[in-house]
Amino acid sequence: MDKNDILQQLIEKNNGYLLSAMVNENNISKAVMSKYVKEKGLERIARGIYITDDVWPDELYIMQVRNKAVIFTGETALYLHGLMDREYSEICVAVPTGYNASHLKTGNVQVKYASKISYGLGVCTVPSTSGNMVKVYDRERCICDLISDRNKTEVQNFQTAMKEYMSGKGKKLSRLVEYAEKLGMRDEVMKYVEVFG
């Protein structure tokens, strides 16, 4: 297969994105990639990230490609899971304690530091609003975090997310309790399960 065909397949497979990391994995030189990018009129939107002219830049996907440690949490994750009807006002990400996230702390990004125990708990992938797969905390972990941060969350968003989760077909209460125990908040979570259940 021709190298240009491989690059075209990578773009098609990745919703119009071409990542230099993927190009490297396929043993294609930077010179070949640069020529292809120029010929096809791809736009460079970040270091090592190019898109076709018919693709709208996906902020969440780009952030995660550039920052492998980022896991979407808070209102961002709730929205991606369909537990909030209003789009998030800021992008909320979790990173492990000790991670240097100073480059992430821009105007609309909230960074939360997570301990070793909580950082990897309940990670899954879901499609972003543009259809690119991104890492988020699963619904049960989102509910634990929501209850933990209830004093920092708008009442309407809290109630909507809890009602959506509790009335949804995909809820996994045993997993919710398991996470709550690991996070040291079982009684608190059970109280809200009873109220909204």
Side-chain angles (χ1 to χ4, degrees):
M1 186 184 291
D2 176 86
K3 290 188 177 187
N4 284 353
D5 292 338
I6 294 171
L7 292 169
Q8 186 59 40
Q9 277 187 344
L10 288 172
I11 289 171
E12 287 168 11
K13 187 177 146 194
N14 292 287
N15 297 329
Y17 282 80
L18 181 64
L19 310 177
S20 55
M22 292 174 186
V23 174
N24 291 341
E25 287 170 12
N26 283 276
N27 298 318
I28 297 173
S29 71
K30 285 185 180 179
V32 170
M33 185 182 101
S34 294
K35 185 179 177 200
Y36 182 86
V37 164
K38 200 175 242 179
E39 284 175 3
K40 297 295 182 182
L42 299 182
E43 180 187 350
R44 180 181 186 256
I45 52 170
R47 187 169 177 235
I49 305 173
Y50 301 86
I51 56 172
T52 56
D53 60 1
D54 60 339
V55 171
W56 190 262
D58 182 342
E59 193 175 21
L60 300 183
Y61 180 68
I62 294 164
M63 180 183 287
Q64 202 157 68
V65 166
R66 295 184 73 203
N67 304 278
K68 300 286 185 217
V70 161
I71 300 170
F72 295 107
T73 186
E75 289 185 3
T76 309
L78 291 169
Y79 181 76
L80 292 175
H81 282 299
L83 296 174
M84 267 181 40
D85 44 15
R86 286 193 329 216
E87 192 169 1
Y88 47 88
S89 54
E90 61 184 0
I91 297 170
C92 192
V93 300
V95 295
T97 302
Y99 180 82
N100 182 357
S102 56
H103 63 288
L104 291 172
K105 295 178 183 175
T106 61
N108 74 331
V109 179
Q110 179 189 14
V111 177
K112 295 182 178 184
Y113 292 94
S115 69
K116 272 187 179 176
I117 294 168
S118 68
Y119 173 69
L121 186 65
V123 179
C124 68
T125 56
V126 299
S128 69
T129 53
S130 299
N132 298 299
M133 297 307 284
V134 293
K135 285 188 302 185
V136 299
Y137 286 121
D138 65 17
R139 294 162 60 95
E140 288 69 30
R141 172 62 191 273
C142 286
I143 294 301
C144 287
D145 291 346
L146 180 67
I147 291 169
S148 178
D149 292 340
R150 69 190 170 284
N151 295 331
K152 300 174 194 162
T153 307
E154 283 183 39
V155 174
Q156 184 184 349
N157 288 346
F158 181 85
Q159 290 180 341
T160 300
M162 289 300 295
K163 285 176 187 170
E164 285 293 323
Y165 176 76
M166 293 307 291
S167 65
K169 290 181 178 140
K171 72 175 180 258
K172 297 179 174 115
L173 292 178
S174 60
R175 184 184 292 174
L176 180 67
V177 172
E178 176 194 330
Y179 290 173
E181 284 173 353
K182 286 181 179 174
L183 296 168
M185 53 186 295
R186 187 183 195 282
D187 293 345
E188 216 172 333
V189 167
M190 292 312 294
K191 182 173 73 178
Y192 284 97
V193 166
E194 286 169 21
V195 169
F196 288 94

